[in-house]
Amino acid sequence: MSEAFKGLAEAYASLQGARSAWFVRARHVPETIAKLGLIGPSDRLVVRANDFTDAYLHHFGNGVLTFAMDQTPEAFLDATRSSAHPAAGGPKEGHASYADGAGARYDRLFWLVNSIGCRGLRVPDIRVLAEAAREAGAILIVDNTVASAWGCQPLSLGAHIVLEALDRVAGGALHAKAVAIAVARSVSGKGRKRRTDELAHRAYCLLAQRLGGEFSQLVFNVDDADLAIISEGLQTLGERMQRHTDHARVIAEYLAAHPLVPQTCYPGLKSHPDHDVAARTLMHGFGPAVDFELAERMCAGTFIKRCAASHRDHPAGGRATRLSPLCGDESHYIRLFAGLDDPIDIVDSLEQAMRLYCNPPHA
């Protein structure tokens, strides 16, 4: 273990209010969970991530994976009840990669939600969901990639594990993609007020068994060059994320008023269904992303090609605003991540693309 890792892990854990933190070479959150083997064959994973369905289906079998229909506690409980337990009638032996001893029966329940995510950039009430998870005996995992550690602190709201793809933290400069993992403290208070969160302790044991103890890491290590980039990125994260977030709001307000945009989804708009929840869950604004729908005759792929500022080939999390089709090139839905570039230039580029689509040049 390098000193670079230890210092960075301590800094990231402090930012998240976590017991410990690790960094894993992986493209995104579902790949990270699969890579670590957190979900065994007799466990259940209930996920709400309808903008990332294919990735979860790719990494997890139908036997352990169930999709919740909404981000509410009721939807997660319904999905939990409706899924047949993989261990029912099966062998008692457990999965060797887990923290418990050999021969234990595994029937763990995991709930996973995004702090900002799904189509329409929904924001769950993490505090309420965490209370429901605790009553259900579920370890609550939050994908915090869109909001970042600067924009949301799920552990302080009751989550047990938080994961974050680090493209934006690193400003799009990583040589290999990486995901940060942080786990909640399991003990709080002193003396008679001392309390132990058993689910948080189990979450730590699962991660420590796979990765190493507090502020140590044995496998899936990110190299020192990328650790240095992440460390530098953390020092400027607040300043950069504030600009990302402020620019997203400007672009969202423009799109919300445009006659050729039937729907604009941004948690900072009062029209967003989770606006009030986002105001008490997110910090420093409402995130760097905007989802919007094009008029029916417009296709996302073609629109993006005609938009000079789409920057589809630029690195994720970098300085440039990026547009990508949310449901494929033939759909009408686009997700925009605001960059550090001038939002007025982006608005102008979007306007020109709208006009070009409506009035194409004659051959």
Side-chain angles (χ1 to χ4, degrees):
M1 180 190 68
S2 68
E3 286 301 317
F5 165 80
K6 188 174 186 296
L8 179 57
E10 290 175 347
Y12 189 81
S14 176
L15 180 62
Q16 288 281 16
R19 175 177 178 175
S20 189
W22 301 268
F23 306 96
V24 171
R25 292 194 312 273
R27 292 173 298 169
H28 44 58
V29 167
E31 181 177 274
T32 303
I33 296 171
K35 200 170 187 178
L36 297 182
L38 287 183
I39 314 299
S42 296
D43 293 326
R44 287 172 293 173
L45 174 63
V46 179
V47 176
R48 177 59 180 168
N50 65 5
D51 55 346
F52 232 58
T53 302
D54 290 346
Y56 282 99
L57 288 172
H58 174 75
H59 288 288
F60 302 98
N62 290 330
V64 301
L65 178 65
T66 305
F67 290 103
M69 301 305 292
D70 202 350
Q71 75 267 23
T72 63
E74 294 78 14
F76 272 81
L77 288 169
D78 287 345
T80 301
R81 297 187 196 104
S82 66
S83 58
H85 199 294
K92 302 287 186 179
E93 289 76 24
H95 192 284
S97 69
Y98 276 71
D100 290 342
R105 176 170 178 156
Y106 293 106
D107 55 358
R108 297 188 181 94
L109 176 61
F110 298 84
W111 289 1
L112 190 149
V113 71
N114 296 274
S115 53
I116 306 175
C118 295
R119 299 187 196 115
L121 297 171
R122 304 301 302 271
V123 179
D125 192 328
I126 296 175
R127 194 182 300 278
V128 172
L129 194 60
E131 292 174 0
R134 190 167 290 107
E135 291 180 6
I139 292 176
L140 180 61
I141 303 172
V142 175
D143 182 340
N144 203 35
T145 297
V146 175
S148 83
W150 179 83
C152 184
Q153 294 188 338
L155 299 183
S156 70
L157 300 173
H160 302 112
I161 299 173
V162 60
L163 295 97
E164 177 184 355
L166 294 170
D167 299 291
R168 195 161 292 102
V169 171
L174 291 176
H175 301 100
K177 288 184 175 292
V179 173
I181 308 169
V183 64
R185 297 186 177 99
S186 56
V187 177
S188 61
K190 296 180 179 179
R192 293 183 178 180
K193 294 184 178 180
R194 181 184 174 91
R195 297 289 183 272
T196 300
D197 185 333
E198 182 59 30
L199 288 169
H201 178 68
R202 287 173 63 187
Y204 169 76
C205 289
L206 289 173
L207 292 167
Q209 210 280 340
R210 296 299 292 137
L211 291 165
E214 291 187 28
F215 307 118
S216 65
Q217 186 160 336
L218 305 175
V219 292
F220 309 130
N221 302 73
V222 175
D223 67 34
D224 284 353
D226 277 343
L227 288 176
I229 292 170
I230 296 167
S231 181
E232 292 174 6
L234 281 179
Q235 295 175 28
T236 60
L237 181 63
E239 178 187 351
R240 289 184 291 112
M241 281 299 298
Q242 189 66 67
R243 291 173 63 190
H244 284 297
T245 298
D246 291 346
H247 294 177
R249 186 178 189 104
V250 171
I251 296 167
E253 289 175 348
Y254 154 76
L255 290 168
H258 202 289
L260 293 178
V261 179
Q263 184 180 35
T264 301
C265 299
Y266 179 67
L269 297 175
K270 291 185 177 179
S271 58
H272 193 279
D274 303 322
H275 176 74
D276 291 341
V277 172
R280 62 177 181 265
T281 301
L282 306 178
M283 306 182 302
H284 313 297
F286 296 91
V290 183
D291 283 0
F292 63 99
E293 179 185 2
L294 298 169
E296 188 172 345
R297 63 183 179 274
M298 298 184 186
C299 292
T302 305
F303 179 86
I304 290 171
K305 288 179 181 177
R306 293 179 176 178
C307 182
S310 64
H311 302 129
R312 196 172 179 178
D313 57 343
H314 282 57
R319 297 184 59 84
T321 295
R322 294 177 80 243
L323 277 66
S324 59
L326 189 56
C327 304
D329 284 351
E330 299 304 313
S331 73
H332 309 296
Y333 300 94
I334 290 176
R335 176 162 293 173
L336 179 151
F337 279 100
L340 303 180
D341 35 12
D342 190 336
I344 302 303
D345 290 342
I346 304 304
V347 165
D348 182 66
S349 181
L350 291 169
E351 182 66 30
Q352 293 299 321
M354 299 275 188
R355 293 180 180 179
L356 187 60
Y357 216 113
C358 293
N359 301 289
H362 296 291

